[in-house]
Amino acid sequence: MSSNSFDARSELVVDGERYEIYRLDAVPGSERLPYSLKILLENLLRNEDGRLVTADQVRAVGEWDPAAEASKEIQYTPARVLMQDFTGVPCVVDLVAMRDAMADLGGDPTKINPLIPGELVIDHSVIADVFNRPDAVTRNSEFEFHRNKERYELLRWAQQSFADFLVVPPDTGICHQVNLEYLSRVVFTRTVDGVAQAYPDTLVGTDSHTPMVNGLGVLGWGVGGIEAEAAMLGQPMSMLVPQVVGFKLTGELPEGTTATDLVLTVAELLRKTRVVGKFVDFFGPGVANVPLANRATLGNMSPEYGSTCAIFPIDQETLGYMRLTGRSEHQIALVEAYAKEQGIWHDPNHTPDYSQIVELDLSTVETSIAGPKRPQDRIPLRSATRAVRGLLAGESQDVAVMAGGLDDAGDESFPASDPVAISTRIPRDEPPHVYADSGDEDAGDGLDWPSDPASFILDGAQMSLDHGDIVIAAITSCTNTSNPSVMIGAGLLAKKAVELGLDRKPWVKTTLAPGSRVVTDYLDRAGLSPYLDKIGFSLVGYGCTTCIGNSGPLIPEVSAAVNGNDLNVSAVLSGNRNFEGRIHPEVKMNFLASPPLVIAYALAGSMHVDLLRDPLGTSAAEEPVFLKDLWPTTAEIKEVVDASLEAHMFTDGYADVYHGDENWRGMEVPEGDMFAWSDDSTYVRKPPYFDGMEREPAPVTDIEGARVLALLGDSVTTDHISPAGNIRASSPAGEYLLENGVARADFNSYGSRRGNHNVMIRGTFANIRLRNQLVPGVEGGFTKRSAEGEVETIFDASTAYLAAGTPLVVIAGTDYGSGSSRDWAAKGTMLLGVKAVLATSFERIHRSNLIGMGVLPLQFKDGESATSLGLTGFETYSIVGLAGANPLPREVIVRVESGGVTREIATALRIDTPAEEAYYVHGGILQYVLRQLLDA
């Protein structure tokens, strides 16, 4: 029950049903706030308890200063948590282990359930191994289940065993599209202490592109797994009241442009503006001209802008989309009544206070692509051929990727889509690249690019492949497949191409992987699926596929030609990220494009084809066919969308969303409140977090006689600490898998094995780019235990230290833990035996995650660092001042001993809130929550 200090509690009646609400106008100044901050304000009003959420926090938002830097801390409580399988499996593993611990301590294991709804969509594991065949989707699904059976058994058990926990099975859709079309309520209702409450639907998600749902007016963003677990277990999230950038929209999109062109333009503009860590609110008269599917596309690419969210307000378009997607009339009436009552209904004539205003006239948007390796590097289609030939001719497009910066974090988020967590102190990344304009005639014909065609035989025919040719064309990603206009547009373009006798170039791997089954339903109903099939864009699965690098192998003959001749070839995809080597390791250039353009490029087969001037092919009548002959008009698209898309398709499509296919239903999953762990599993193992745990926490003690596991420099990222990519056979994790009978071909990635701590510990500090100053000149996860000692892996050193009972510390420079918000960067650190991290400065979320795992964050005093203090890392360290302290001190002494000489260094203890102190005292957030539930 809220403390209700502001007398905000009130009532709203809709269709005769009464709901308790907390009125925003009870807080002076609330009317001037941007939409997103009004949502935060309501959250604080409703959850105010005088302890974790205080009246001062409410006032901090109500009195928000748009010009102030983000500094005031509040506690945010989302309504629900959204997960995908790569990042969600570790959360489930921890909940399952908590049940075991509850039973071991004599409690009721069924008390361990999410305290707010948890919704997990399995979408990150399907790979486009098979394509351009009628059975491609079936074969890929079979491969997926073979690879991931152990993980899926855990999730299937959780689906039937946990309350308030839903699992959407594989091959159903992508989490963000399912969230948009089905899961989101816009206004949430829940009975609290016997009273029905209505409040804004809010969420956090364990995927970077969670803000896609911002297009529906739902506030949500991506977080790491530890934060998501805490939220599911009823713990509020610490955050700073952000700056808010107002993005004013005017005008309308020109004929022939798409939502993809708009989002690439916005990405370019906001990267120039620099919005890292800020909220972005769309407003202005142009908002009404942006269809909801386009709004979702704009929200989806928030991570590429660097913003926490990119949100639209509630208006008639919101209600129309809810009606289209089959939400109940009562729910729609509730959303309208609540939004108008609370002053969060969009008023195009009202301009709230903003920290900064950016404007875009929609009529200036033009057809574009982006690449070849950053999503913000927009290229007008009219300049694309010139840009590509310039790149091949040696024109520099290299940019300085700042360690720990936004580009670095986005690159590192493959394939698990970890949300980014960027330190505001990291220098800005290079601005978007500006490509030379091709003018009216020059398409780069005069550029001396290195043509080196490779000949090969494919299906009995002689082929030739050169630098700049396209080997992957993928309609992929919820970014675009959630948008009926661009999907129908792609289908219509395919229809016209087939009718004129065109086909994809045979060296191009073509795939269609939409984010929900509704997409194929309306493509079937419109009669467009056969045309997509005919030119190679047959269904390969419902999941992220190519957008996260699950593109599968290239056509074997093409792969041989590429590798044998070191060709710089291209992929074109309707995704949201395109970093080099991440879409496919053999493909250097990756271009983001709308679904219709993806098909056009598949027909052309090469980035050298100027789509606005050159023919894409020759018709059956031997006539050249140009893009303008195929491109559907806005009116054509609208006519087909209106005729093919109806609300019942969504209600029918989602009626059995949790049912799954025969593979899912056929799994043998034991019943019961406790999960049956398998000692043979290399994907899912019981974690040791609760080993030896008692009902009462042990007293906090000093840390004595610690040794340094790693001495690190500035901007060490979470990817340095806990990689997410492929597992090398020579690494400790690879050796573990080989010892356990896993063939190299079945290694999968670190992301897929996050449910097995044995793999993840061995991967901690194992990035090949890590530079541990204890072993100068050596790159990777290596260390030494003494100045004269042998170089060994960090995992082996940790094992030896643990056997000897020696505590460990890590010493680091500035912005430690920036990058992606990866829970295993903290979990792995703790499991290696690290008791404290001493850094010049921390990225705030990683600092919080360390505390959540019981690791002490210490910060050098201003002006001091390991270098300035002359620390070698081979000393012995003791951290004193903790024992018997209640509350914990703000400052502790680090005692450094070497060669019989002892000195003392004063450091700041970076446990900043009462909640963080409680987590540390209990040994971590999971232990804290477990004890609270045990005593409840």
Side-chain angles (χ1 to χ4, degrees), residues 577-656:
R577 294 169 299 171
N578 54 344
F579 300 101
E580 183 176 346
R582 296 295 195 172
I583 300 304
H584 192 285
E586 297 170 18
V587 179
K588 295 179 181 177
M589 296 195 294
N590 304 297
F591 295 94
L592 305 182
S594 67
L597 278 184
V598 169
I599 293 180
Y601 271 117
L603 298 173
S606 176
M607 297 302 298
H608 293 292
V609 176
D610 185 336
L611 296 190
L612 296 182
R613 299 183 180 90
D614 299 336
L616 304 187
T618 304
S619 71
E622 300 297 321
E623 296 290 332
V625 178
F626 295 88
L627 183 63
K628 62 182 175 63
D629 301 323
L630 305 178
W631 198 265
T633 66
T634 303
E636 286 179 285
I637 293 171
K638 184 178 186 304
E639 181 181 359
V640 176
V641 169
D642 290 347
S644 306
L645 197 58
E646 294 182 356
H648 76 83
M649 301 175 75
F650 290 90
T651 53
D652 293 349
Y654 283 107
D656 60 351

Side-chain angles (χ1 to χ4, degrees), residues 72 86 170 192 395 399 635 868 906:
K72 294 184 177 179
F86 266 27
V192 179
E395 289 183 0
V399 292
S868 72

Side-chain angles (χ1 to χ4, degrees), residues 885-903:
N886 183 19
L888 295 177
R890 299 299 91 202
E891 184 177 286
V892 296
I893 298 299
V894 177
R895 192 172 290 151
V896 184
E897 301 175 57
S898 179
V901 178
T902 300
R903 55 179 169 148

Side-chain angles (χ1 to χ4, degrees), residues 144-174:
E144 177 188 0
F145 269 84
H146 172 73
R147 293 183 181 115
N148 298 283
K149 181 174 179 287
E150 296 168 24
R151 298 165 66 234
Y152 290 176
E153 285 173 346
L154 170 77
L155 295 177
R156 176 76 192 282
W157 178 87
Q159 181 187 43
Q160 69 186 28
S161 301
F162 283 122
D164 247 350
F165 185 77
L166 300 173
V167 177
V168 176
D171 307 310
T172 304
I174 300 174

Side-chain angles (χ1 to χ4, degrees), residues 107 168 200 229 235 355 365 380 384 397 417 508 511 611 645 700 716 730:
V168 176
E229 287 178 44
Q235 301 301 299
S355 304
V365 172
Q397 202 255 346
S417 307
V508 184
T511 57
L611 296 190
L645 197 58
V700 175
V716 170
S730 60

Side-chain angles (χ1 to χ4, degrees), residues 464-793:
S464 177
L465 198 70
D466 205 346
H467 299 291
D469 286 347
I470 296 163
V471 295
I472 291 175
I475 298 178
T476 178
S477 172
C478 52
T479 308
N480 285 291
T481 68
S482 61
N483 193 313
S485 293
V486 295
M487 295 303 291
I488 290 292
L492 288 172
L493 191 147
K495 180 175 184 289
K496 294 182 180 185
V498 170
E499 289 172 344
L500 287 170
L502 271 60
D503 199 355
R504 63 177 251 280
K505 294 299 185 285
W507 56 82
V508 184
K509 179 174 183 175
T510 46
T511 57
L512 169 65
S516 87
R517 292 177 175 270
V518 176
V519 177
T520 42
D521 288 345
Y522 66 65
L523 288 172
D524 288 346
R525 182 169 178 175
L528 298 175
S529 295
Y531 299 103
L532 289 163
D533 293 340
K534 184 72 169 62
I535 56 169
F537 286 90
S538 53
L539 181 69
V540 297
Y542 298 95
C544 301
T545 60
T546 305
C547 188
I548 60 166
N550 285 358
S551 48
L554 298 181
I555 297 167
E557 296 86 347
V558 173
S559 176
V562 170
N563 291 307
N565 296 272
D566 193 24
L567 294 180
N568 186 349
V569 291
S570 300
V572 183
L573 66 150
S574 63
N576 47 42
R577 294 169 299 171
N578 54 344
F579 300 101
E580 183 176 346
R582 296 295 195 172
I583 300 304
H584 192 285
E586 297 170 18
V587 179
K588 295 179 181 177
M589 296 195 294
N590 304 297
F591 295 94
L592 305 182
S594 67
L597 278 184
V598 169
I599 293 180
Y601 271 117
L603 298 173
S606 176
M607 297 302 298
H608 293 292
V609 176
D610 185 336
L611 296 190
L612 296 182
R613 299 183 180 90
D614 299 336
L616 304 187
T618 304
S619 71
E622 300 297 321
E623 296 290 332
V625 178
F626 295 88
L627 183 63
K628 62 182 175 63
D629 301 323
L630 305 178
W631 198 265
T633 66
T634 303
E636 286 179 285
I637 293 171
K638 184 178 186 304
E639 181 181 359
V640 176
V641 169
D642 290 347
S644 306
L645 197 58
E646 294 182 356
H648 76 83
M649 301 175 75
F650 290 90
T651 53
D652 293 349
Y654 283 107
D656 60 351
V657 67
Y658 305 114
H659 194 54
D661 63 10
E662 291 180 3
N663 290 317
W664 179 259
R665 296 193 303 275
M667 287 190 295
E668 292 186 12
V669 179
E671 297 183 0
D673 299 329
M674 314 284 280
F675 181 68
W677 303 97
S678 169
D679 291 338
D680 297 326
S681 175
T682 56
Y683 277 100
V684 176
R685 298 295 285 268
K686 180 181 178 180
Y689 308 137
F690 306 103
D691 290 358
M693 179 180 165
E694 303 288 344
R695 287 186 74 106
E696 296 297 328
V700 175
T701 61
D702 293 339
I703 299 168
E704 304 204 10
R707 302 296 306 281
V708 175
L709 184 63
L711 175 64
L712 306 171
D714 295 338
S715 300
V716 170
T717 72
T718 48
D719 197 61
H720 288 114
I721 306 168
S722 180
N726 293 327
I727 301 172
R728 290 179 298 117
S730 60
S731 69
E735 291 173 355
Y736 165 83
L737 292 173
L738 290 170
E739 289 168 4
N740 281 272
V742 179
R744 289 183 63 172
D746 295 326
F747 273 14
N748 223 320
S749 66
Y750 280 110
S752 69
R753 293 190 181 271
R754 288 183 182 184
N756 183 352
H757 62 279
N758 293 309
V759 172
M760 300 308 294
I761 298 170
R762 289 165 171 79
T764 304
F765 294 111
N767 190 305
I768 57 173
R769 295 185 297 148
L770 185 77
R771 290 180 173 86
N772 183 359
Q773 294 169 18
L774 297 182
V775 283
V778 177
E779 287 191 336
F782 298 96
T783 193
K784 288 199 297 187
R785 283 180 275 160
S786 67
E788 301 79 25
E790 294 184 358
V791 175
E792 57 188 329
T793 67

